[in-house]
Amino acid sequence: MDYFRMVEDSWELSDAIRDYVSKAGREVPFPELWEKILAPSPLVDQARTLGEEGVAKGRIFLNSPYGLQFRADHKDWIPFRHGPVDLSAEPLP
């Protein structure tokens, strides 16, 4: 598995959120980000995110061992790991 690509994908999704908020010029509520950016993304595990009330809690689970978490103190989204990762067989980039 290409774990490095998965982390990059989560950062790209974070960048998409930041760009959307920047263009909106206002604080954007989580449900709007979900509808406009996150739900349409094939990277997002919708069932798990909705099942664990991730949208309301600012935790988005991806279809990989990673997800995005909202940091209220920085007003940004950063990747977090929610599943196992085995880098023992992963080639260095």
Side-chain angles (χ1 to χ4, degrees):
M1 298 190 93
D2 189 352
Y3 294 110
F4 296 106
R5 179 72 246 163
M6 291 177 198
V7 171
E8 287 297 317
D9 287 343
S10 53
W11 276 115
E12 288 172 8
L13 194 53
S14 173
D15 290 343
I17 293 170
R18 187 186 68 244
D19 291 345
Y20 183 87
V21 171
S22 177
K23 288 177 184 172
R26 60 184 165 81
E27 192 168 315
V28 178
F30 294 162
E32 181 178 340
L33 293 174
W34 174 255
E35 178 186 328
K36 302 291 184 179
I37 304 293
L38 298 163
S41 173
L43 299 173
V44 174
D45 182 341
Q46 291 189 24
R48 183 168 182 189
T49 298
L50 295 173
E52 295 189 25
E53 298 179 14
V55 177
K57 295 177 181 176
R59 287 178 60 94
I60 306 300
F61 295 92
L62 303 184
N63 293 315
S64 72
Y66 302 98
L68 292 175
Q69 182 168 342
F70 184 71
R71 294 189 306 178
D73 56 336
H74 288 86
K75 302 263 190 241
D76 66 359
W77 293 82
I78 60 166
F80 74 97
R81 187 173 59 82
H82 63 80
V85 173
D86 178 10
L87 297 176
S88 64
E90 189 74 17
L92 294 175

Coordinates of all heavy atoms in Angstrom, one line a residue:
M1 N 0.8 -1.2 0.0 CA 0.0 0.0 0.0 C 0.9 1.2 0.0 O 1.9 1.3 0.6 CB -0.9 0.0 1.2 CG -1.9 -1.1 1.3 SD -3.1 -0.9 2.6 CE -4.4 -0.1 1.7
D2 N 0.4 2.2 -0.7 CA 1.2 3.5 -0.7 C 0.7 4.5 0.3 O -0.1 5.4 0.1 CB 1.0 4.1 -2.1 CG 1.9 5.3 -2.4 OD1 2.6 5.7 -1.4 OD2 2.0 5.8 -3.5
Y3 N 1.2 4.3 1.6 CA 0.7 5.1 2.7 C 1.1 6.6 2.5 O 0.4 7.4 2.9 CB 1.3 4.5 4.0 CG 0.8 3.2 4.4 CD1 1.6 2.1 4.3 CD2 -0.6 3.1 4.8 CE1 1.1 0.8 4.7 CE2 -1.1 1.8 5.1 CZ -0.3 0.7 5.1 OH -0.8 -0.5 5.4
F4 N 2.2 6.8 1.9 CA 2.6 8.2 1.6 C 1.6 8.9 0.8 O 1.3 10.0 1.0 CB 4.1 8.2 1.0 CG 5.1 7.7 2.0 CD1 5.7 6.4 1.7 CD2 5.5 8.4 3.1 CE1 6.6 5.9 2.6 CE2 6.5 7.9 4.0 CZ 7.0 6.6 3.7
R5 N 1.2 8.2 -0.3 CA 0.1 8.8 -1.2 C -1.2 9.0 -0.4 O -1.8 10.0 -0.6 CB -0.1 7.8 -2.4 CG -1.2 8.3 -3.3 CD -0.7 9.5 -4.2 NE -1.5 10.6 -3.8 CZ -1.1 11.9 -4.1 NH1 0.0 12.2 -4.7 NH2 -1.9 12.9 -3.7
M6 N -1.5 8.1 0.5 CA -2.7 8.3 1.3 C -2.6 9.5 2.2 O -3.6 10.3 2.3 CB -3.0 7.1 2.2 CG -3.3 5.9 1.4 SD -3.5 4.5 2.5 CE -3.4 3.1 1.4
V7 N -1.5 9.8 2.8 CA -1.3 11.0 3.6 C -1.4 12.2 2.7 O -2.0 13.2 3.0 CB 0.1 11.0 4.3 CG1 0.4 12.3 5.0 CG2 0.1 9.9 5.4
E8 N -0.7 12.2 1.5 CA -0.8 13.3 0.6 C -2.2 13.5 0.1 O -2.7 14.7 0.0 CB 0.1 13.0 -0.7 CG 1.5 13.1 -0.4 CD 2.0 14.5 0.0 OE1 1.5 15.5 -0.6 OE2 2.8 14.6 1.0
D9 N -3.0 12.5 -0.1 CA -4.4 12.6 -0.4 C -5.2 13.4 0.7 O -6.0 14.2 0.4 CB -5.1 11.3 -0.7 CG -4.7 10.6 -2.0 OD1 -4.1 11.3 -2.9 OD2 -4.9 9.4 -2.1
S10 N -4.9 13.0 1.9 CA -5.6 13.7 3.0 C -5.2 15.1 3.1 O -6.0 16.0 3.4 CB -5.4 12.9 4.3 OG -4.1 12.7 4.6
W11 N -3.9 15.5 2.9 CA -3.5 16.9 2.8 C -4.2 17.6 1.7 O -4.6 18.8 1.8 CB -2.0 17.0 2.8 CG -1.3 16.9 4.1 CD1 -0.5 15.9 4.5 CD2 -1.5 17.8 5.2 NE1 -0.1 16.1 5.8 CE2 -0.7 17.3 6.3 CE3 -2.2 19.0 5.4 CZ2 -0.6 17.9 7.5 CZ3 -2.1 19.6 6.7 CH2 -1.3 19.1 7.7
E12 N -4.3 17.0 0.5 CA -5.0 17.6 -0.6 C -6.4 17.9 -0.3 O -6.9 19.0 -0.7 CB -4.8 16.8 -1.9 CG -3.4 16.8 -2.4 CD -3.2 15.8 -3.5 OE1 -4.2 15.2 -4.0 OE2 -2.0 15.6 -3.9
L13 N -7.1 17.0 0.4 CA -8.5 17.3 0.8 C -8.5 18.4 1.8 O -9.4 19.3 1.7 CB -9.1 16.0 1.4 CG -10.6 15.9 1.5 CD1 -11.3 16.3 0.3 CD2 -11.0 14.6 2.0
S14 N -7.6 18.5 2.7 CA -7.5 19.6 3.7 C -7.3 20.9 2.9 O -7.9 21.9 3.3 CB -6.3 19.3 4.6 OG -6.1 20.5 5.4
D15 N -6.4 20.9 1.9 CA -6.2 22.1 1.1 C -7.5 22.5 0.4 O -7.8 23.7 0.3 CB -5.1 21.8 0.1 CG -3.7 21.7 0.7 OD1 -3.5 22.1 1.8 OD2 -2.8 21.2 0.0
A16 N -8.3 21.6 -0.1 CA -9.5 21.9 -0.8 C -10.5 22.6 0.2 O -11.2 23.5 -0.2 CB -10.2 20.6 -1.4
I17 N -10.5 22.1 1.4 CA -11.4 22.7 2.4 C -10.9 24.2 2.7 O -11.7 25.1 2.7 CB -11.4 21.9 3.7 CG1 -12.1 20.6 3.5 CG2 -12.0 22.7 4.9 CD1 -11.9 19.6 4.7
R18 N -9.6 24.3 2.9 CA -9.0 25.7 3.1 C -9.3 26.6 2.0 O -9.7 27.8 2.2 CB -7.5 25.6 3.4 CG -6.9 26.9 3.8 CD -5.4 26.9 3.9 NE -4.8 26.7 2.6 CZ -4.1 25.7 2.1 NH1 -3.8 24.7 3.0 NH2 -3.6 25.7 0.9
D19 N -9.2 26.1 0.8 CA -9.5 27.0 -0.4 C -10.9 27.4 -0.5 O -11.3 28.5 -0.7 CB -9.1 26.3 -1.7 CG -7.6 26.1 -1.9 OD1 -6.8 26.8 -1.1 OD2 -7.2 25.3 -2.7
Y20 N -11.8 26.5 -0.1 CA -13.3 26.7 -0.1 C -13.6 27.8 0.9 O -14.3 28.8 0.6 CB -14.0 25.5 0.1 CG -15.5 25.7 0.1 CD1 -16.2 25.6 -1.1 CD2 -16.3 25.9 1.3 CE1 -17.6 25.7 -1.2 CE2 -17.6 26.1 1.2 CZ -18.3 26.0 0.0 OH -19.7 26.2 0.0
V21 N -13.0 27.7 2.1 CA -13.3 28.6 3.2 C -12.7 30.0 2.8 O -13.3 31.0 3.0 CB -12.7 28.1 4.5 CG1 -12.8 29.2 5.6 CG2 -13.5 26.9 5.0
S22 N -11.5 30.0 2.2 CA -10.9 31.2 1.8 C -11.7 32.0 0.8 O -11.9 33.2 0.9 CB -9.5 30.9 1.3 OG -8.9 32.1 0.8
K23 N -12.2 31.2 -0.2 CA -13.1 31.9 -1.2 C -14.4 32.3 -0.7 O -14.9 33.3 -1.1 CB -13.3 30.9 -2.4 CG -12.0 30.7 -3.2 CD -12.2 29.7 -4.3 CE -10.9 29.5 -5.0 NZ -11.0 28.4 -6.0
A24 N -14.9 31.6 0.3 CA -16.2 32.0 0.9 C -16.0 33.3 1.7 O -17.0 34.1 1.9 CB -16.7 30.9 1.8
G25 N -14.8 33.5 2.3 CA -14.6 34.8 3.1 C -15.3 34.8 4.4 O -15.6 35.9 4.9
R26 N -15.7 33.7 4.9 CA -16.5 33.6 6.2 C -16.2 32.3 6.8 O -15.6 31.4 6.2 CB -18.0 33.7 5.9 CG -18.5 32.6 5.0 CD -20.0 32.8 4.6 NE -20.3 31.9 3.5 CZ -20.6 30.7 3.6 NH1 -20.6 30.0 4.8 NH2 -21.0 30.0 2.5
E27 N -16.6 32.2 8.1 CA -16.5 30.9 8.7 C -17.6 29.9 8.1 O -18.8 30.3 8.0 CB -16.7 31.0 10.2 CG -16.4 29.8 11.0 CD -16.3 30.1 12.5 OE1 -15.7 31.1 12.9 OE2 -16.8 29.3 13.2
V28 N -17.2 28.8 7.7 CA -18.1 27.9 7.0 C -18.4 26.7 8.0 O -17.5 26.1 8.5 CB -17.4 27.3 5.7 CG1 -18.3 26.3 5.0 CG2 -17.0 28.4 4.8
P29 N -19.7 26.5 8.2 CA -20.1 25.4 9.1 C -19.7 24.0 8.6 O -19.7 23.8 7.3 CB -21.6 25.6 9.3 CG -22.0 26.4 8.1 CD -20.9 27.2 7.6
F30 N -19.5 23.1 9.5 CA -19.1 21.7 9.0 C -20.1 21.1 8.1 O -19.7 20.5 7.1 CB -19.0 20.8 10.3 CG -17.9 21.1 11.2 CD1 -17.9 20.6 12.5 CD2 -16.8 21.9 10.8 CE1 -16.8 20.9 13.4 CE2 -15.8 22.2 11.7 CZ -15.8 21.7 12.9
P31 N -21.4 21.2 8.3 CA -22.4 20.6 7.3 C -22.2 21.1 5.9 O -22.4 20.4 4.9 CB -23.8 21.0 7.9 CG -23.5 21.1 9.4 CD -22.2 21.8 9.5
E32 N -21.9 22.4 5.7 CA -21.6 22.9 4.4 C -20.4 22.3 3.8 O -20.4 22.0 2.6 CB -21.5 24.5 4.4 CG -21.3 25.1 3.1 CD -21.3 26.6 3.1 OE1 -21.8 27.2 4.1 OE2 -20.8 27.2 2.1
L33 N -19.3 22.2 4.6 CA -18.1 21.6 4.1 C -18.4 20.1 3.7 O -17.8 19.6 2.7 CB -17.0 21.7 5.1 CG -16.5 23.1 5.4 CD1 -15.5 23.0 6.6 CD2 -15.8 23.7 4.2
W34 N -19.2 19.5 4.5 CA -19.5 18.1 4.2 C -20.2 18.0 2.8 O -19.9 17.2 2.0 CB -20.4 17.5 5.3 CG -20.9 16.1 5.0 CD1 -22.2 15.8 4.6 CD2 -20.2 14.9 5.0 NE1 -22.3 14.5 4.3 CE2 -21.1 13.9 4.6 CE3 -18.9 14.6 5.3 CZ2 -20.6 12.6 4.5 CZ3 -18.5 13.3 5.2 CH2 -19.3 12.3 4.8
E35 N -21.2 18.8 2.6 CA -22.0 18.8 1.4 C -21.2 19.2 0.2 O -21.3 18.6 -0.9 CB -23.2 19.8 1.6 CG -24.1 19.8 0.3 CD -25.2 20.9 0.4 OE1 -25.7 21.1 1.6 OE2 -25.5 21.5 -0.6
K36 N -20.4 20.2 0.3 CA -19.7 20.8 -0.9 C -18.4 20.1 -1.2 O -18.0 20.0 -2.4 CB -19.5 22.3 -0.7 CG -20.8 23.1 -0.5 CD -21.6 23.1 -1.7 CE -22.8 24.0 -1.5 NZ -23.7 24.1 -2.6
I37 N -17.6 19.7 -0.2 CA -16.3 19.2 -0.4 C -16.1 17.7 0.0 O -15.6 17.0 -0.8 CB -15.3 20.0 0.4 CG1 -15.3 21.5 0.1 CG2 -13.8 19.5 0.2 CD1 -14.9 21.9 -1.2
L38 N -16.6 17.4 1.1 CA -16.3 16.1 1.7 C -17.1 14.9 1.1 O -16.6 13.9 0.7 CB -16.3 16.1 3.2 CG -15.3 17.1 3.8 CD1 -15.6 17.4 5.2 CD2 -13.9 16.5 3.6
A39 N -18.4 15.1 1.2 CA -19.3 14.0 0.7 C -19.1 13.6 -0.7 O -19.1 12.4 -1.1 CB -20.8 14.4 0.9
P40 N -18.8 14.6 -1.6 CA -18.6 14.2 -3.0 C -17.2 13.5 -3.3 O -17.0 12.9 -4.3 CB -18.6 15.5 -3.8 CG -19.2 16.5 -2.9 CD -19.0 16.0 -1.5
S41 N -16.3 13.6 -2.3 CA -15.0 13.0 -2.5 C -15.0 11.5 -2.4 O -15.5 10.9 -1.4 CB -14.0 13.6 -1.5 OG -12.7 12.9 -1.6
P42 N -14.3 10.8 -3.4 CA -14.3 9.3 -3.3 C -13.3 8.9 -2.2 O -13.3 7.7 -1.8 CB -13.7 8.9 -4.7 CG -13.0 10.2 -5.2 CD -13.7 11.3 -4.6
L43 N -12.6 9.8 -1.6 CA -11.6 9.5 -0.5 C -12.4 9.3 0.8 O -11.8 8.6 1.7 CB -10.6 10.6 -0.3 CG -9.7 10.9 -1.5 CD1 -8.8 12.1 -1.2 CD2 -8.8 9.7 -1.8
V44 N -13.5 9.8 1.0 CA -14.2 9.9 2.3 C -15.1 8.6 2.5 O -15.8 8.2 1.6 CB -15.1 11.1 2.3 CG1 -16.0 11.1 3.6 CG2 -14.3 12.4 2.3
D45 N -14.9 8.0 3.7 CA -15.7 6.9 4.1 C -17.0 7.5 4.7 O -17.0 7.9 5.9 CB -15.0 6.1 5.2 CG -15.7 4.9 5.6 OD1 -17.0 4.8 5.5 OD2 -15.1 4.0 6.2
Q46 N -18.0 7.7 3.9 CA -19.2 8.4 4.3 C -19.9 7.6 5.4 O -20.4 8.2 6.4 CB -20.2 8.6 3.2 CG -19.7 9.6 2.2 CD -20.7 9.9 1.1 OE1 -21.9 9.8 1.4 NE2 -20.2 10.4 0.0
A47 N -20.0 6.3 5.3 CA -20.8 5.5 6.3 C -20.1 5.7 7.7 O -20.8 5.9 8.7 CB -20.8 4.0 5.9
R48 N -18.8 5.5 7.8 CA -18.2 5.6 9.1 C -18.3 7.1 9.6 O -18.5 7.3 10.8 CB -16.7 5.2 9.0 CG -16.1 5.2 10.3 CD -14.7 4.6 10.4 NE -14.2 4.6 11.7 CZ -13.0 4.3 12.0 NH1 -12.2 3.8 11.1 NH2 -12.6 4.4 13.3
T49 N -18.0 8.1 8.8 CA -18.1 9.4 9.2 C -19.5 9.8 9.7 O -19.6 10.4 10.8 CB -17.7 10.4 8.0 OG1 -16.4 10.1 7.6 CG2 -17.8 11.8 8.5
L50 N -20.5 9.4 9.0 CA -21.9 9.7 9.5 C -22.2 8.9 10.7 O -22.9 9.3 11.6 CB -22.8 9.5 8.3 CG -22.7 10.5 7.1 CD1 -23.6 10.1 6.0 CD2 -22.9 11.9 7.6
G51 N -21.8 7.6 10.7 CA -22.1 6.7 11.8 C -21.5 7.1 13.1 O -22.1 6.9 14.2
E52 N -20.3 7.8 13.0 CA -19.7 8.2 14.2 C -19.9 9.7 14.5 O -19.1 10.3 15.2 CB -18.2 7.9 14.2 CG -18.0 6.4 14.2 CD -16.5 6.0 14.3 OE1 -15.7 6.8 14.9 OE2 -16.2 4.9 13.9
E53 N -20.9 10.3 13.8 CA -21.2 11.7 13.9 C -20.0 12.6 13.7 O -19.8 13.6 14.3 CB -21.8 12.0 15.3 CG -23.1 11.3 15.5 CD -23.7 11.5 16.8 OE1 -23.3 12.5 17.5 OE2 -24.7 10.8 17.2
G54 N -19.1 12.2 12.7 CA -17.9 12.9 12.4 C -18.1 14.3 11.9 O -17.3 15.2 12.3
V55 N -19.1 14.5 11.1 CA -19.4 15.9 10.6 C -19.6 16.8 11.8 O -19.0 17.9 11.8 CB -20.6 15.9 9.6 CG1 -20.8 17.3 9.2 CG2 -20.3 15.0 8.4
A56 N -20.4 16.4 12.7 CA -20.7 17.3 13.9 C -19.5 17.5 14.8 O -19.3 18.5 15.4 CB -21.9 16.7 14.7
K57 N -18.7 16.4 14.9 CA -17.5 16.4 15.8 C -16.2 16.9 15.1 O -15.2 17.0 15.7 CB -17.3 15.0 16.3 CG -18.4 14.5 17.2 CD -18.1 13.1 17.7 CE -19.2 12.6 18.5 NZ -19.0 11.2 18.9
G58 N -16.3 17.2 13.8 CA -15.1 17.7 13.1 C -14.1 16.6 12.8 O -12.9 16.8 12.8
R59 N -14.6 15.3 12.6 CA -13.7 14.2 12.3 C -14.2 13.5 11.1 O -15.3 13.0 11.1 CB -13.6 13.2 13.5 CG -12.8 13.7 14.7 CD -12.8 12.8 15.8 NE -12.2 11.5 15.5 CZ -10.9 11.2 15.7 NH1 -10.1 12.0 16.2 NH2 -10.5 9.9 15.4
I60 N -13.4 13.5 10.1 CA -13.8 12.9 8.8 C -12.9 11.7 8.6 O -11.7 11.8 8.5 CB -13.6 13.9 7.6 CG1 -14.4 15.2 7.9 CG2 -14.1 13.3 6.3 CD1 -15.9 15.1 8.1
F61 N -13.5 10.5 8.4 CA -12.8 9.3 8.1 C -12.7 9.0 6.6 O -13.7 9.2 5.9 CB -13.5 8.1 8.8 CG -13.5 8.2 10.3 CD1 -14.6 8.8 10.9 CD2 -12.5 7.7 11.1 CE1 -14.7 8.9 12.3 CE2 -12.5 7.8 12.4 CZ -13.6 8.4 13.1
L62 N -11.5 8.7 6.2 CA -11.2 8.4 4.8 C -11.2 6.9 4.6 O -11.2 6.1 5.5 CB -9.9 9.0 4.3 CG -9.8 10.5 4.6 CD1 -8.5 11.0 4.0 CD2 -11.0 11.3 3.9
N63 N -11.3 6.5 3.3 CA -11.3 5.1 3.0 C -9.8 4.6 3.0 O -9.4 3.9 2.1 CB -11.9 4.9 1.6 CG -13.3 5.2 1.5 OD1 -14.1 4.7 2.4 ND2 -13.8 5.9 0.6
S64 N -9.1 5.0 4.0 CA -7.7 4.6 4.2 C -7.5 4.6 5.7 O -8.4 5.0 6.4 CB -6.8 5.6 3.5 OG -6.8 6.8 4.1
P65 N -6.3 4.4 6.2 CA -6.1 4.5 7.6 C -6.0 5.9 8.1 O -5.7 6.2 9.3 CB -4.7 3.8 7.8 CG -4.4 3.1 6.6 CD -5.2 3.8 5.5
Y66 N -6.3 6.9 7.3 CA -6.2 8.3 7.6 C -7.6 9.0 7.6 O -8.6 8.5 7.1 CB -5.3 9.0 6.7 CG -3.9 8.4 6.8 CD1 -3.5 7.5 5.8 CD2 -3.1 8.7 7.8 CE1 -2.2 6.9 5.9 CE2 -1.8 8.1 7.9 CZ -1.4 7.2 6.9 OH -0.2 6.6 7.0
G67 N -7.6 10.2 8.2 CA -8.8 11.0 8.2 C -8.4 12.4 8.4 O -7.2 12.8 8.4
L68 N -9.4 13.3 8.5 CA -9.1 14.7 8.8 C -9.8 15.1 10.0 O -10.9 14.7 10.3 CB -9.7 15.6 7.6 CG -9.0 15.5 6.3 CD1 -9.7 16.3 5.3 CD2 -7.5 15.9 6.4
Q69 N -9.2 15.9 10.8 CA -9.7 16.4 12.1 C -9.6 17.9 12.2 O -8.6 18.5 11.8 CB -9.0 15.8 13.3 CG -9.5 16.1 14.6 CD -8.9 15.3 15.7 OE1 -8.4 14.2 15.5 NE2 -9.0 15.8 16.9
F70 N -10.7 18.5 12.6 CA -10.7 20.0 12.7 C -10.0 20.4 14.0 O -10.3 19.9 15.1 CB -12.1 20.5 12.7 CG -12.2 22.0 12.8 CD1 -11.9 22.8 11.7 CD2 -12.7 22.7 13.9 CE1 -12.0 24.2 11.7 CE2 -12.7 24.0 13.9 CZ -12.4 24.8 12.8
R71 N -9.1 21.4 13.9 CA -8.4 21.9 15.1 C -9.0 23.3 15.3 O -8.8 24.3 14.6 CB -6.9 22.1 14.9 CG -6.2 20.8 14.7 CD -4.7 21.0 14.7 NE -4.3 21.9 13.7 CZ -3.0 22.3 13.6 NH1 -2.1 21.8 14.4 NH2 -2.7 23.2 12.6
A72 N -9.9 23.4 16.3 CA -10.6 24.7 16.6 C -9.6 25.8 16.9 O -9.9 27.0 16.5 CB -11.6 24.5 17.7
D73 N -8.5 25.5 17.6 CA -7.6 26.6 18.0 C -6.9 27.2 16.8 O -6.4 28.3 16.8 CB -6.6 26.1 19.1 CG -5.9 24.9 18.6 OD1 -6.3 24.1 17.8 OD2 -4.8 24.6 19.2
H74 N -6.7 26.4 15.7 CA -6.1 26.9 14.5 C -7.0 27.1 13.3 O -6.6 27.6 12.3 CB -5.0 25.9 14.0 CG -3.8 25.8 14.9 ND1 -3.8 25.0 16.0 CD2 -2.6 26.5 14.9 CE1 -2.6 25.2 16.6 NE2 -1.9 26.1 15.9
K75 N -8.3 26.7 13.5 CA -9.3 26.8 12.5 C -8.9 26.1 11.2 O -9.0 26.7 10.1 CB -9.7 28.3 12.2 CG -10.2 29.0 13.4 CD -11.7 29.0 13.5 CE -12.1 30.0 14.5 NZ -12.9 29.4 15.5
D76 N -8.3 24.9 11.3 CA -7.9 24.2 10.1 C -8.1 22.7 10.3 O -8.6 22.2 11.3 CB -6.4 24.5 9.8 CG -5.4 23.9 10.9 OD1 -5.9 23.3 11.9 OD2 -4.2 24.1 10.7
W77 N -7.9 22.0 9.2 CA -8.1 20.5 9.2 C -6.8 19.9 8.9 O -6.1 20.2 8.0 CB -9.1 20.2 8.0 CG -10.5 20.7 8.2 CD1 -10.9 21.9 8.0 CD2 -11.5 19.9 8.7 NE1 -12.3 22.0 8.3 CE2 -12.7 20.8 8.8 CE3 -11.7 18.6 9.2 CZ2 -13.9 20.3 9.2 CZ3 -12.9 18.2 9.6 CH2 -14.0 19.1 9.6
I78 N -6.5 18.9 9.8 CA -5.2 18.2 9.6 C -5.5 16.7 9.6 O -6.4 16.2 10.2 CB -4.2 18.5 10.8 CG1 -4.8 18.1 12.1 CG2 -3.8 20.0 10.8 CD1 -3.8 18.1 13.3
P79 N -4.6 15.9 8.9 CA -4.7 14.5 8.9 C -4.5 13.9 10.3 O -3.7 14.4 11.1 CB -3.6 14.0 7.9 CG -3.4 15.2 7.1 CD -3.6 16.4 8.0
F80 N -5.2 12.8 10.5 CA -4.9 11.9 11.7 C -5.0 10.5 11.2 O -5.6 10.2 10.2 CB -5.9 12.2 12.8 CG -7.3 11.7 12.6 CD1 -7.7 10.5 13.1 CD2 -8.3 12.4 11.8 CE1 -9.0 10.0 12.9 CE2 -9.5 11.9 11.6 CZ -9.9 10.7 12.2
R81 N -4.4 9.6 11.9 CA -4.5 8.2 11.6 C -5.5 7.5 12.5 O -5.5 7.6 13.7 CB -3.1 7.6 11.8 CG -3.0 6.1 11.3 CD -1.6 5.6 11.4 NE -1.1 5.6 12.7 CZ -1.3 4.7 13.6 NH1 -2.1 3.7 13.4 NH2 -0.7 4.8 14.8
H82 N -6.4 6.7 11.8 CA -7.4 6.0 12.6 C -7.3 4.5 12.4 O -8.2 3.8 12.9 CB -8.8 6.5 12.2 CG -9.2 6.3 10.8 ND1 -9.7 5.1 10.3 CD2 -9.2 7.2 9.8 CE1 -10.0 5.2 9.0 NE2 -9.7 6.5 8.7
G83 N -6.4 4.1 11.6 CA -6.2 2.6 11.3 C -4.8 2.2 11.3 O -3.9 3.1 11.4
P84 N -4.5 0.9 11.3 CA -3.1 0.4 11.3 C -2.4 0.8 10.1 O -2.9 0.8 9.0 CB -3.3 -1.1 11.5 CG -4.6 -1.4 10.9 CD -5.5 -0.2 11.2
V85 N -1.1 1.0 10.2 CA -0.2 1.3 9.1 C 1.0 0.4 9.3 O 1.6 0.4 10.4 CB 0.2 2.8 9.1 CG1 1.3 3.1 8.1 CG2 -1.0 3.7 8.9
D86 N 1.4 -0.3 8.3 CA 2.6 -1.1 8.3 C 3.6 -0.6 7.3 O 3.4 -0.9 6.1 CB 2.3 -2.6 8.1 CG 3.5 -3.5 8.1 OD1 4.6 -3.1 8.5 OD2 3.3 -4.7 7.7
L87 N 4.6 0.1 7.7 CA 5.6 0.7 6.8 C 6.8 -0.3 6.6 O 7.7 0.1 5.9 CB 6.1 2.0 7.3 CG 5.0 3.1 7.4 CD1 5.6 4.4 8.0 CD2 4.4 3.4 6.0
S88 N 6.8 -1.4 7.2 CA 8.0 -2.3 7.1 C 8.3 -2.7 5.7 O 9.4 -3.0 5.3 CB 7.7 -3.6 8.0 OG 6.7 -4.3 7.5
A89 N 7.3 -2.8 4.8 CA 7.5 -3.2 3.4 C 7.4 -2.1 2.5 O 7.5 -2.2 1.3 CB 6.5 -4.3 3.0
E90 N 7.2 -0.9 3.0 CA 7.0 0.3 2.2 C 8.3 0.8 1.7 O 9.2 1.1 2.5 CB 6.3 1.4 3.0 CG 5.8 2.6 2.2 CD 4.6 2.3 1.4 OE1 3.9 1.3 1.6 OE2 4.4 3.1 0.5
P91 N 8.5 1.0 0.3 CA 9.8 1.6 -0.2 C 9.8 3.0 0.2 O 8.8 3.7 0.3 CB 9.7 1.3 -1.7 CG 8.2 1.2 -1.9 CD 7.6 0.6 -0.7
L92 N 11.0 3.5 0.4 CA 11.2 5.0 0.6 C 10.9 5.7 -0.7 O 11.2 5.3 -1.8 CB 12.6 5.2 1.1 CG 13.0 4.7 2.4 CD1 14.5 4.9 2.7 CD2 12.1 5.3 3.5
P93 N 10.3 6.9 -0.5 CA 10.0 7.7 -1.7 C 11.2 8.2 -2.4 O 12.2 8.3 -2.0 CB 9.2 8.9 -1.2 CG 9.4 8.9 0.3 CD 9.9 7.6 0.7

